[in-house]
């Protein structure tokens, strides 16, 4: 398959989002890359959690930044799953899986660089990304050889120019404002272009028509199956 398939927070329709089991499920379903979210616990540990609080995804309450790793991992993230530390993800998903690491808390960037300093193989497979251009600039500085990405809710020439200015390697834009001209312009600058989210056969065909390099999906198994079906039906 020419398009790179990124699993959004793992396979959340099957297993709890942002857990090791969910990431492994996405790999089994055919994902080329897994997207996850990083925050810092109260004791400075890198933890995988999308929201600023644990309320939505666990049986607990409170801000991630105000709970220690031990307190966080005492919570049930669904079906007995636990909130993983980033180290647990690196060790638990196997060495070959590409990881799109979205920095949710700016203060997580430095500890991420520190952790990966002694893990060169893991450093080579991560793509640190963020919505915040200032954080992206810091990521480019900390990870000069990584596929640093700027995320935006929609595509625009302004966001693309900002990504180029920052020295990013990829852009990850939502559907609004994203068209083939923007994709081609990004690729002409040497940027990898991913669109999100691709959750239906129609969106998959639209992504192919745009000429993007990859996409993020909530439904890896169904999307990969549809992509294979399209390719097998092609003349």
């Amino acid at each position: 398959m020419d398009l790179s398939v990124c699993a959004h927070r793992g396979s959340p329709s099957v297993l709890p989002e942002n857990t090791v089991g969910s990431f492994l499920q996405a790999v089994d379903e055919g994902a080329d890359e897994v997207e996850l979210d990083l925050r810092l616990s109260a004791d400075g540990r890198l933890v995988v959690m999308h929201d600023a609080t644990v309320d939505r995804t666990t049986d607990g309450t409170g801000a991630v930044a105000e709970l220690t790793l031990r307190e966080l991992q005492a919570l049930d993230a669904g079906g007995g799953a636990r909130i993983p530390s980033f180290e647990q993800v690196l060790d638990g998903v196997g060495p070959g899986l590409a990881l799109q690491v979205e920095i949710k808390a700016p203060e997580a960037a430095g500890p991420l660089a520190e952790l990966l300093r002694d893990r060169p193989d893991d450093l080579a497979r991560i793509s640190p990304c963020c919505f915040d251009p200032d954080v992206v600039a810091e990521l480019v500085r900390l990870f000069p050889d990584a596929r640093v990405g700027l995320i935006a809710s929609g595509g625009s020439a302004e966001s693309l120019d900002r990504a180029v200015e920052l020295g990013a390697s990829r852009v990850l834009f939502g559907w609004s404002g994203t068209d083939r001209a923007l994709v081609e312009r990004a690729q002409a600058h040497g940027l990898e272009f991913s669109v999100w989210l691709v959750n239906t056969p129609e969106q998959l065909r639209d992504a192919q028509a745009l000429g993007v390099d990859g996409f993020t999906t909530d439904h890896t198994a169904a999307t990969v199956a549809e992509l294979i079906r399209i390719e097998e039906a092609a003349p």
Side-chain angles (χ1 to χ4, degrees), residues 12-23:
S13 63
V14 180
L15 292 171
E17 68 176 56
N18 274 325
T19 61
V20 173
S22 192
F23 300 146

Side-chain angles (χ1 to χ4, degrees), residues 58-91:
T58 79
D59 61 350
T61 61
V64 175
E66 295 176 359
L67 298 168
T68 66
L69 177 63
R70 175 172 293 190
E71 290 170 330
L72 289 166
Q73 294 195 321
L75 304 176
D76 188 340
R82 303 296 163 184
I83 298 170
S85 68
F86 188 54
E87 296 99 313
Q88 288 172 325
V89 172
L90 291 174
D91 294 334

Side-chain angles (χ1 to χ4, degrees), residues 166-179:
L166 292 168
S169 302
R170 68 192 303 199
V171 289
L172 307 102
F173 290 166
W175 284 103
S176 177
T178 293
D179 58 21

